[in-house]
Amino acid sequence: MSADYVLETQNLIKEFKGFTAVDDVSLKIQRGHIHALIGPNGAGKTTVFNLLTKFLTPTSGKILFNGNDITSMKSAAIARRGVVRSFQISAVFPHLSVLENVRVALQRKEGNSFHFWKSDKVLNRLDDRAVELLESVGLGDFAGAKTVDLSYGRKRALEIATTLALEPELMLLDEPTQGMGHEDVDVVADLIKRVSKDRTILMVEHNLHVVSKLADQITVLQRGAVLTEGDYESVSADPRVQEAYLGVAADEVQA
Amino acid sequence: MKISKLYIGLLGVALVAPFVMYPVLLMKILCFALFACAFNLLLGFVGLLSFGHAVFLGTGGYVTGYLMMNTGLTPELGILGGTVAAALLGAIYGKLSVKREGIYFAMVTLALAQLMFFVFLQAPFTGGEDGMQGIPRGYLFGLIDLSDNLNMYYFVLAVFLFGFWLINRTVHSPFGQVLKAIRENEPRATSLGYNVNDYKWVAFIISAALSGLAGSTKTLVFQLASLTDVHWHMSGEVVLMTLLGGMGTIFGPLVGAAAVVGLQNFLSGGELGNYVHIIMGLIFIVCVLAFRGGIVGEIQKIVKRNFG
């Protein structure tokens, strides 16, 4: 019944001491879609992400992944199931090399991550696959570089390569183009488009240009609750959305 | 290539050192170096500042002392017993503390260590304030007489090299790779599917076991197990050694331990004996303010800048 939907939330609520950050949010993420979560600052987008990946525990409500209830699972377990997230601040391992960043992700499935008596040379057999992934995001030439020396845009690309290494069924991207110059924005947007083939992506994004280009489906959040849903045309035409973004009454905008 | 030459050179120095210097001082340095290296595995490679590591040093020492005095075991088994005891205590304490972060982790480890301090103070077998004295060194494998300082020195050197090798291997293993990832960015490591607390726990146990190994060996060297080894002063001293030598480097704790023990030894003989703590404190302040990388860290920086 829910085969069409990779991820579903049912009446998700998160309260912080008297303040409801996420208020009765029911999302349905269709398989193969790029689904964007937008809304003004403080609308609860990142909180929703934290709930979905259990970095926060919901006050009430349910999270279903492929129809299975994952509400009570731990963060790392959810990641192993195939829901892998990125972070608003670029999530890389700055003092590892670019190649090692991807390899740490590939390493998990090897089952030797507790083997402290083995040489890390056993990881070298993952190098080819890691380089392949780096090439797929245009970082093939940077494999040996120290991650901290990369430009911001390249760090985000590396983050995507690392996430792809886990072959996630669902990727959650938290503001992938935040803080970038417009050239980098287009590069990353193209990259997301490319990697979205055969997988589902849920992204929080402020840049409406990127959203219009990528998203198949958009959910607008305001003050923690779902304001409206639909494709870009219908959502951007909605007077309530314009009001939420511009802070003025809809009829004033039209006038 | 350069590194392996360095290792061979150092090993050569270690082999001839007891003919030039007093072996007991060298053994003391080696024991503390192993202790500091084990501590550095947590601080430098996982980013966990334990403020109660003396408890593992002391537990290893007391258990080994007890076994040697009361059971007639050979020294290698006595040391093994002390190490296992420290590892078990580490497993319990680690489980309780790795869930906490930063200053809370430091406080929990300090509190747990103080708990054991009072156990060792009150328990009948430890000798309380007097400690255990006159612990026999025994015959290694029942054959080699360890009461001879030169024999003892080479035994301690072998123990140290084993511990040093194991730490080095752990750092450069698939496990060590995950530890580094956790140190660099813990939420990201979690989002890649790693149960970070489990990895921290295993690292904690390895560190505790090797601290116990250092304590057990030290007990045999001095034929003494006392409250000094479980006191929080000792926990502070190992922090000083590690920071002074250079945390997160392989050789840093070794250099730091040699510097601290050497200095203490040098000062305690002279007129400045009463000022040891003040002088150590000053060195610590200068280290933290002026050269954060520690001795080895700063040398690495200079080498990189001029030859890299």
Side-chain angles (χ1 to χ4, degrees):
Chain A
M1 132 227 150
S2 48
D4 262 340
Y5 298 112
V6 177
L7 190 83
E8 249 183 276
T9 69
Q10 295 172 351
N11 311 102
L12 209 56
I13 294 177
K14 177 67 187 175
E15 288 169 349
F16 297 104
K17 286 181 186 157
F19 166 70
T20 309
V22 173
D23 189 4
D24 200 18
V25 169
S26 298
L27 290 173
K28 285 185 174 180
I29 316 297
Q30 201 178 322
R31 193 180 302 282
H33 266 183
I34 298 182
H35 193 125
L37 207 54
I38 66 169
N41 283 327
K45 306 179 295 285
T46 297
T47 312
V48 168
F49 259 46
N50 284 332
L51 292 175
L52 293 179
T53 47
K54 285 308 285 295
F55 279 74
L56 288 172
T57 308
T59 310
S60 68
K62 259 190 190 175
I63 306 163
L64 304 178
F65 178 60
N66 285 332
N68 302 315
D69 192 340
I70 58 166
T71 318
S72 58
M73 287 172 84
K74 284 190 177 159
S75 298
I78 289 174
R80 287 197 294 273
R81 279 240 169 162
V83 182
V84 181
R85 71 171 293 180
S86 74
F87 294 82
Q88 226 170 61
I89 314 152
S90 80
V92 290
F93 304 116
H95 294 100
L96 300 184
S97 78
V98 170
L99 185 80
E100 282 173 325
N101 261 267
V102 179
R103 229 170 50 171
V104 164
L106 289 171
Q107 186 190 334
R108 207 198 67 220
K109 287 192 181 128
E110 292 280 294
N112 58 9
S113 296
F114 279 107
H115 294 186
F116 61 82
W117 56 89
K118 275 189 190 156
S119 166
D120 54 9
K121 291 201 178 75
V122 300
L123 297 174
N124 290 350
R125 64 165 174 263
L126 301 172
D127 285 359
D128 290 345
R129 174 79 185 119
V131 169
E132 217 172 90
L133 282 161
L134 286 173
E135 275 165 0
S136 77
V137 299
L139 287 176
D141 296 337
F142 295 90
K146 217 175 190 191
T147 306
V148 69
D149 299 330
L150 292 186
S151 73
Y152 189 75
R154 291 201 174 110
K155 275 185 195 147
R156 300 245 68 158
L158 172 60
E159 198 186 329
I160 290 171
T162 308
T163 306
L164 286 175
L166 300 175
E167 294 173 20
E169 220 179 315
L170 175 64
M171 277 170 88
L172 305 178
L173 304 176
D174 196 353
E175 304 201 20
T177 66
Q178 190 212 31
M180 281 184 191
H182 63 271
E183 288 158 25
D184 274 347
V185 168
D186 287 338
V187 171
V188 170
D190 288 342
L191 182 57
I192 293 170
K193 187 81 201 166
R194 240 184 313 137
V195 304
S196 69
K197 207 170 151 285
D198 307 323
R199 39 177 76 81
T200 314
I201 294 178
L202 173 64
M203 59 194 277
V204 166
E205 183 55 65
H206 268 302
N207 189 325
L208 292 181
H209 166 67
V210 173
V211 172
S212 70
K213 203 164 134 189
L214 293 179
D216 300 299
Q217 181 79 6
I218 298 170
T219 301
V220 186
L221 286 182
Q222 190 191 15
R223 294 194 202 102
V226 176
L227 188 68
T228 182
E229 273 184 304
D231 59 11
Y232 185 74
E233 274 71 37
S234 72
V235 164
S236 60
D238 191 321
R240 289 174 305 164
V241 176
Q242 294 175 357
E243 191 187 331
Y245 263 87
L246 300 171
V248 290
D251 50 293
E252 281 176 48
V253 174
Q254 278 159 353
Chain B
M1 202 51 221
K2 223 163 88 187
I3 289 289
S4 62
K5 264 184 197 159
L6 181 65
Y7 279 118
I8 292 167
L10 283 174
L11 187 64
V13 171
L15 287 174
V16 297
F19 298 102
V20 185
M21 285 170 78
Y22 184 44
V24 175
L25 175 65
L26 290 172
M27 289 190 266
K28 188 176 176 186
I29 289 175
L30 285 177
C31 289
F32 277 109
L34 178 56
F35 182 35
C37 286
F39 175 79
N40 184 45
L41 178 65
L42 271 191
L43 178 62
F45 295 98
V46 201
L48 289 173
L49 171 61
S50 159
F51 210 78
H53 243 52
V55 75
F56 305 116
L57 183 81
T59 301
Y62 274 121
V63 171
T64 300
Y66 180 81
L67 291 174
M68 293 304 292
M69 284 176 87
N70 297 294
T71 64
L73 282 179
T74 48
E76 71 281 356
L77 291 176
I79 286 180
L80 187 66
T83 307
V84 169
L88 289 176
L89 188 69
I92 299 166
Y93 278 16
K95 198 83 196 169
L96 293 169
S97 57
V98 294
K99 290 178 198 157
R100 304 277 165 242
E101 278 167 34
I103 190 73
Y104 300 103
F105 176 81
M107 288 296 114
V108 170
T109 49
L110 174 61
L112 291 171
Q114 286 305 96
L115 212 71
M116 278 310 282
F117 176 82
F118 285 105
V119 170
F120 285 126
L121 179 64
Q122 301 292 342
F125 77 94
T126 60
E129 302 269 3
D130 299 331
M132 284 180 203
Q133 297 180 4
I135 297 165
R137 283 183 183 171
Y139 288 79
L140 185 63
F141 307 119
L143 297 170
I144 305 164
D145 183 7
L146 289 183
S147 59
D148 178 59
N149 269 344
L150 212 54
N151 288 347
M152 188 68 199
Y153 173 79
Y154 288 115
F155 174 57
V156 173
L157 183 63
V159 168
F160 171 78
L161 289 175
F162 166 75
F164 190 74
W165 170 83
L166 186 66
I167 289 166
N168 214 339
R169 172 41 56 91
T170 303
V171 168
H172 298 108
S173 70
F175 176 68
Q177 200 68 20
V178 180
L179 288 185
K180 275 177 240 169
I182 291 171
R183 179 192 64 187
E184 295 279 300
N185 192 334
E186 188 173 328
R188 182 54 169 167
T190 304
S191 82
L192 294 181
Y194 291 110
N195 285 324
V196 295
N197 285 347
D198 292 350
Y199 290 85
K200 288 179 180 178
W201 185 48
V202 172
F204 195 98
I205 296 172
I206 295 172
S207 175
L210 289 172
S211 299
L213 178 64
S216 299
T217 313
K218 182 172 166 297
T219 288
L220 281 194
V221 171
F222 290 98
Q223 306 184 279
L224 171 77
S226 74
L227 287 173
T228 321
D229 288 350
V230 276
H231 199 272
W232 61 267
H233 276 172
M234 186 60 78
S235 298
E237 214 156 82
V238 75
V239 178
L240 172 65
M241 288 173 187
T242 307
L243 291 185
L244 185 63
M247 76 171 204
T249 62
I250 291 290
F251 284 108
L254 174 59
V255 173
V260 170
V261 173
L263 207 61
Q264 279 170 348
N265 197 61
F266 175 71
L267 291 175
S268 66
E271 288 170 16
L272 292 168
N274 295 329
Y275 301 100
V276 169
H277 288 296
I278 298 175
I279 293 168
M280 297 315 281
L282 279 176
I283 290 173
F284 191 53
I285 292 169
V286 170
C287 171
V288 170
L289 289 179
F291 56 111
R292 290 271 173 90
I295 297 168
V296 172
E298 295 301 317
I299 291 174
Q300 279 176 349
K301 256 190 232 165
I302 292 168
V303 169
K304 213 175 182 182
R305 216 178 296 142
N306 297 314
F307 309 101

